[in-house]
Amino acid sequence: MIELLSYGAFFLTVALTYAIICLGLNVQWGQTGLFNVGVAGFVGIGAYASALLTTPDDPVRFGGFGLPIIVGWLGAMASAGLLSLLVGLLTIRLRADYLAIATFGVAVVVQLCALNLEPLTGGPFGIGFIPRPFGWLAEDRMTFSLLNLSIVVVTTLGVYLALERLLRSPWGRVLRAIREDEQAALALGKNAFAFRLQAFVIGGAIMGLAGAVQAHFIGFIAPENYVPMLTFQVWAMLIVGGSGNNRGAVLGAVLVWAVWAASAALISAVVPPEAQARAAALQIVMIGVAICVMLLVRPRGILGEVRTVSRHVNEVSGKK
Amino acid sequence: MILQPLMDGLIAGTMIGLGAIGITLTYSILRFANFAHGELISWGAYAALGVSSALATAYGPLATPIGPFSFGWSLPIGLLTSMVLTGLLALLVDLLLFGRLRARKSAVIILVMAGFGAALTLRSLLEFLVTSKPAYFTSALQIAIRLAPGLRATPDQLLSLAVSAVLVLAVHLLLTRTAIGRAMRAVSENQQLAALAGVDVRHTIRIVWLLGAALAAVAGVMAGLLVQIRPHMGHDLLLPLFAAAILGGIGSVPGAMLGGLIVGLTEALSVQFIGAEWRAAVAFVILVAVLLLRPQGLFGRPA
């Protein structure tokens, strides 16, 4: 019973860190229509930034500044946001798919830097001893995992509420207006480029935050955590859950992660060890097929986008 | 000292260029960046490997090396078969996925995303079928010929350069001098107007897929012959391919080849002077530079 509860807490914590990444992607894609194929790069930057700021001093590499975890998380948002700003400034004015190609490149380069800038990132061995929230309680596993879960729940909820507020604000309305009809939005005097750039930076910063939350939960990061597979998983989560809908993003993350974890458990239980690498490839085929089928059959996802004009409209008309 | 890296870069560059021609054609005519193009390269290489080893097993003399080259007649036959098979694969993906989305008038970015899903499916399916262990067309060792002091190349490498040059010229002539080439350019300019003028748009799109996939298969076989065959080979080439296509200017065949050569040469020089571990970043740096300085590419027109 305790085992099950403890696994449940662990599962939900991991799933919710994906949910935060999904929420960030939803600002970029769901609300604004910006296609980011380099999610792993932005998550990775956040994780490394926070690890550098918060780990104890390490003589073999730069830093380890031993700062509080919250500073690390803010640093993660700032660095991923800055990266998004640079990529956005470069590509958002150009053809829509140039952003996709450029972000694809960003992910490749971030992974390459993590691997090769050994004095900064620890190279292929990564960074360990990342302080974990409530680390002093690690002896009592149940309390520890529940406290960690509650931190991730609070963070997810905070991001969710902030985004809901933002997207129902005039700012969010302009974003959707630009996505639906750029000419009309331009004619109304809205600077489409600036709004898109802001959305891209906010989404990127949230991904960085998610990377930091993940890193502090696991306590260890390495370049192979931030491979393109992560990007694919997050996309599948958002498309399955329903792009444009924040609750859909969270639901999709939990659902896809559950299917992923269950199929991984099934493979390791049923398939003989020598065939497991092949079976894992089939698992990835499943993610790819899920993306294509959802696009063909139900492009709006499980929970589609809810049309909102303004929260004041309902208040005036007397409806809840 | 500098000559050998230039030779290596030239050879890598022609492989990138052949792949980039496929990207630039689908990009300008179907109007979306196809992330699944790299997978056509991998599938093309494995299809050629399958056909060629089956032929060699069935009839031994086909495996005997031709003249100075490291492979027998089974490989050219395998390559031609693979060009057709890869083309059919591209048509199948179009039938199942892209065609349906086009018929629904989906936004460009949905097509890009579908390509991204298709790439993931194709790559992992290939990995499932053949495992991630590298494979080779031939185990024969080749002695490099000395062309000049400090410059060596194997007969296979020289043949690859010649084949690429012929192919680029052929595709360029096809686009500029034939009826189907004119139809392709018309569809790329304006699909509706082309249809009104009597161009069979669906037929043209099929030809574009066949052509792009066949070139991808050639690039895959070249990469397999000169380096090795892996399920991830196409995915690893994707960023250099896009960098080359954008550098050359979307829609320009000579541009894509020139872009491929520039990317290949820069990679080889950076391996020489900076270090092999940063090779994968070169294409990105070139891409960023092009987007900053000349987003329409060398031979492209401003959007």
Side-chain angles (χ1 to χ4, degrees):
Chain A
M1 186 59 208
I2 294 285
E3 276 300 299
L4 202 66
L5 208 61
S6 156
Y7 179 76
F10 173 79
F11 166 81
L12 213 55
T13 312
V14 178
L16 287 180
T17 57
Y18 281 101
I20 303 175
I21 311 179
C22 259
L23 285 171
L25 188 61
N26 195 26
V27 183
Q28 296 180 342
W29 168 250
Q31 305 295 333
T32 325
L34 298 168
F35 189 45
N36 181 349
V37 200
V39 174
F42 297 90
V43 176
I45 280 273
Y48 271 96
S50 188
L52 273 182
L53 290 171
T54 57
T55 43
D57 188 42
D58 185 338
V60 301
R61 61 174 170 81
F62 173 76
F65 292 101
L67 294 167
I69 291 177
I70 187 75
V71 179
W73 289 14
L74 291 175
M77 292 179 77
S79 51
L82 184 67
L83 180 68
S84 314
L85 180 69
L86 294 176
V87 177
L89 278 175
L90 182 68
T91 51
I92 288 180
R93 274 181 212 275
L94 306 169
R95 303 166 72 135
D97 26 16
Y98 279 12
L99 178 71
I101 299 170
T103 48
F104 180 76
V106 166
V108 171
V109 172
V110 167
Q111 224 230 341
L112 214 57
C113 290
L115 211 53
N116 292 334
L117 290 177
E118 230 158 291
L120 189 66
T121 63
F125 306 110
I127 299 181
F129 302 109
I130 301 171
R132 306 171 68 174
F134 306 107
W136 61 90
L137 286 173
E139 296 293 302
D140 182 357
R141 277 190 52 208
M142 200 60 228
T143 324
F144 178 65
S145 50
L146 285 180
L147 277 173
N148 263 295
L149 174 62
S150 54
I151 284 193
V152 177
V153 168
V154 168
T155 314
T156 314
L157 202 66
V159 172
Y160 170 81
L161 290 176
L163 287 181
E164 283 290 301
R165 181 102 199 153
L166 202 56
L167 297 174
R168 278 168 174 56
S169 71
W171 184 82
R173 274 203 303 281
V174 176
L175 278 191
R176 285 190 298 279
I178 294 170
R179 187 192 63 189
E180 297 300 331
D181 190 341
E182 182 170 354
Q183 297 301 322
L186 287 176
L188 290 172
K190 305 298 180 193
N191 182 346
F193 172 68
F195 276 95
R196 284 207 176 105
L197 190 61
Q198 288 159 11
F200 192 68
V201 171
I202 292 176
I206 294 173
M207 289 175 194
L209 172 69
V213 173
Q214 233 170 25
H216 286 272
F217 173 63
I218 300 164
F220 167 77
I221 54 174
E224 75 256 21
N225 298 357
Y226 306 104
V227 290
M229 192 55 226
L230 173 64
T231 306
F232 291 121
Q233 284 172 327
V234 174
W235 268 105
M237 288 166 179
L238 184 61
I239 294 176
V240 168
S243 45
N245 185 323
N246 285 327
R247 267 176 298 164
V250 177
L251 175 74
V254 176
L255 215 60
V256 171
W257 185 247
V259 174
W260 182 265
S263 60
L266 188 72
I267 286 172
S268 67
V270 177
V271 181
E274 65 276 12
Q276 287 196 352
R278 293 185 100 168
L282 268 194
Q283 219 188 340
I284 303 174
V285 172
M286 184 178 75
I287 293 275
V289 171
I291 293 181
C292 296
V293 168
M294 283 308 278
L295 284 180
L296 283 172
V297 179
R298 199 180 162 84
R300 57 195 292 269
I302 298 175
L303 300 176
E305 187 176 352
V306 184
R307 286 197 169 271
T308 43
V309 180
S310 160
R311 60 199 162 87
H312 300 298
V313 171
N314 290 342
E315 286 166 18
V316 172
S317 61
K319 280 185 287 187
K320 171 70 188 67
Chain B
M1 278 307 96
I2 190 81
L3 280 176
Q4 196 57 47
L6 285 181
M7 187 69 195
D8 297 341
L10 197 65
I11 290 160
T14 48
M15 282 190 302
I16 298 174
L18 284 183
I21 293 177
I23 291 245
T24 214
L25 285 180
T26 43
Y27 205 149
S28 70
I29 297 168
L30 304 171
R31 289 165 190 279
F32 76 100
N34 181 14
F35 274 80
H37 195 80
E39 313 318 321
L40 295 178
I41 293 182
S42 322
W43 278 78
Y46 275 99
L49 178 68
V51 174
S52 136
S53 18
L55 282 177
T57 331
Y59 183 60
L62 280 177
T64 339
I66 318 166
F69 304 114
S70 71
F71 51 86
W73 282 107
S74 62
L75 185 61
I77 303 174
L79 171 61
L80 290 177
T81 324
S82 156
M83 288 166 80
V84 176
L85 289 176
T86 314
L88 293 179
L89 177 68
L91 286 184
L92 180 71
V93 175
D94 190 56
L95 181 76
L96 289 176
L97 191 62
F98 298 129
R100 293 187 186 196
L101 292 171
R102 263 200 317 275
R104 230 180 263 173
K105 307 237 177 300
S106 301
V108 169
I109 212 74
I110 299 289
L111 282 162
V112 177
M113 196 189 284
F116 179 72
L120 188 62
T121 312
L122 287 174
R123 175 167 8 115
S124 304
L125 199 59
L126 191 60
E127 200 175 338
F128 171 71
L129 293 174
V130 301
T131 74
S132 52
K133 211 172 69 195
Y136 299 87
F137 282 116
T138 150
S139 51
L141 271 181
Q142 260 202 322
I143 309 296
I145 312 166
R146 188 155 167 262
L147 299 174
L151 178 63
R152 286 171 178 281
T154 62
D156 286 2
Q157 290 177 327
L158 296 175
L159 177 71
S160 302
L161 286 182
V163 169
S164 314
V166 171
L167 278 176
V168 174
L169 192 65
V171 174
H172 184 66
L173 291 179
L174 178 84
L175 275 181
T176 48
R177 301 289 154 83
T178 64
I180 183 67
R182 205 159 37 243
M184 285 185 200
R185 282 182 291 140
V187 173
S188 123
E189 289 284 334
N190 187 326
Q191 203 160 318
Q192 270 97 31
L193 273 183
L196 278 179
V199 172
D200 184 347
V201 173
R202 291 171 63 186
H203 176 70
T204 312
I205 288 178
R206 278 197 294 273
I207 300 291
V208 170
W209 279 119
L210 286 175
L211 187 61
L215 291 172
V218 180
V221 169
M222 272 173 66
L225 189 61
L226 304 176
V227 195
Q228 57 178 206
I229 316 175
R230 290 173 304 119
H232 281 247
M233 59 195 281
H235 180 253
D236 295 342
L237 272 175
L238 202 54
L239 192 57
L241 293 186
F242 275 125
I246 293 176
L247 171 59
I250 296 299
S252 162
V253 170
M257 190 33 104
L258 185 64
L261 288 177
I262 294 176
V263 173
L265 285 170
T266 319
E267 280 187 350
L269 291 178
S270 75
V271 167
Q272 183 80 0
F273 294 111
I274 303 172
E277 69 273 25
W278 292 105
R279 183 193 184 113
V282 171
F284 181 71
V285 173
I286 293 180
L287 180 71
V288 168
V290 176
L291 293 185
L292 270 178
L293 303 172
R294 197 177 160 82
Q296 73 270 35
L298 295 173
F299 298 123
R301 287 165 303 180

